[in-house]
Amino acid sequence: TQARNDSLANTTAVAKAPKPESVALAVDTTVSRTLLFADVLGFSGLADSQVASYCEVVLGEVQKLVAESQNPPIELNTWGDGLFMVFESAAQGADFALALCELMKRGNRESLWANAGLPEELAMRVSLHTSPVKQLTNPLTQNVSHWGHNVSVAARIEPITPANQVYGSAATAALIAAEGRADLAADFVGMVPLAKSFGTLELFRIYRSGTHS
C-alpha cells in the first residue's frame, strides 16, 4: 500500500541519515579550581506532589544567587537536591557556599518553604575542596567540565558536614587566608573520616568573620 511504501521510505531515509560529527575534546588541561558540593537534607522525604514546588522555589532561589553573583560558578550541575559547582578561587567558592546556607536560613525564617507547601525548615550541607582537576569539554553537554580524583574527594566531604554549615579542606582554608579576605574565617575541625570509607581529611569550618555560624 501507499502508506507502507511511505513508511519504508522514511525508514530508509533515517537509516541513511549522516551521523552527527563527534565533539572535539578540549586540550587536556590541568587547572586549580574550588569544587562545591551541596545537598538538601530531607529531600528524599518529599512527596511527588512537592517536587514541583521544590524545583520552582528552592532551586529558583539558588538560581537568583547565581544570577546576582559577581563571581558565578564556571560549571554548574544539579541532580535532585544535589548541587555541584566549580569556582576559580577559594574565596569565590566560600562566598557562594555561605550564601547558600544563608539562603536556607532565610527561607526558614521567612516561611518561604512552608508557604510553598514544603517543610517549614530546610537545611543544606555544603563542602569545598580546592585542588588540581582536569578541565575538558564534555562531548554530551558540549560544556566545560571538571574531572579527577579530587572531585570525588570534594563529594565525600559534603555528607559529613553539619546542617547549614560549610566544611572545607585545608587547601581551601589556606587559600582563603592567602587571598586576604578578612571577612572570611576558618576554624580547624580535625582529621575527619570521609563518607564511603574514603579515608580521613583535615577539615575546617568556614564562616563569615564575626558570625561564628
Side-chain angles (χ1 to χ4, degrees):
T1 64
Q2 183 62 40
R4 175 176 171 79
N5 290 338
D6 290 344
S7 177
L8 289 173
N10 290 338
T11 300
T12 302
V14 171
K16 293 181 178 179
K19 295 181 180 179
E21 296 182 3
S22 60
V23 178
L25 290 176
V27 176
D28 185 351
T29 305
T30 300
V31 293
S32 178
R33 294 286 184 260
T34 294
L35 314 170
L36 180 156
F37 278 90
D39 177 87
V40 175
L41 281 70
F43 175 82
S44 60
L46 295 181
D48 286 351
S49 60
Q50 295 174 297
V51 172
S53 293
Y54 173 86
C55 289
E56 179 182 357
V57 179
V58 179
L59 293 187
E61 289 293 329
V62 174
Q63 191 279 331
K64 290 179 184 178
L65 291 182
V66 173
E68 294 169 359
S69 174
Q70 294 183 348
N71 299 291
I74 56 178
E75 181 185 353
L76 188 159
N77 207 342
T78 177
W79 47 96
D81 62 329
L83 299 174
F84 173 59
M85 302 182 183
V86 179
F87 295 87
E88 291 187 339
S89 75
Q92 290 176 10
D95 275 330
F96 202 92
L98 293 168
L100 286 173
C101 292
E102 291 157 2
L103 166 63
M104 302 311 292
K105 294 175 184 178
R106 179 172 63 83
N108 296 340
R109 188 171 59 250
E110 298 178 2
S111 299
L112 295 181
W113 324 135
N115 290 340
L118 297 169
E120 290 186 8
E121 293 194 359
L122 292 174
M124 189 176 284
R125 295 180 298 228
V126 191
S127 65
L128 295 170
H129 178 44
T130 307
S131 63
V133 289
K134 294 290 186 180
Q135 180 172 282
L136 299 167
T137 299
N138 187 316
L140 294 178
T141 65
Q142 300 188 33
N143 294 325
V144 172
S145 57
H146 299 81
W147 305 72
H149 173 76
N150 281 301
V151 177
S152 298
V153 172
R156 300 301 181 262
I157 299 173
E158 176 270 310
I160 53 90
T161 301
N164 283 337
Q165 291 193 27
V166 179
Y167 272 12
S169 64
T172 299
L175 285 169
I176 289 173
E179 290 175 38
R181 287 289 300 275
D183 58 320
L184 297 174
D187 286 345
F188 179 61
V189 175
M191 294 295 296
V192 182
L194 301 181
K196 298 186 178 181
S197 302
F198 219 70
T200 59
L201 196 67
E202 188 177 16
L203 295 182
F204 291 75
R205 183 176 69 88
I206 297 169
Y207 59 96
R208 298 199 190 281
S209 299
T211 63
H212 292 281
S213 63

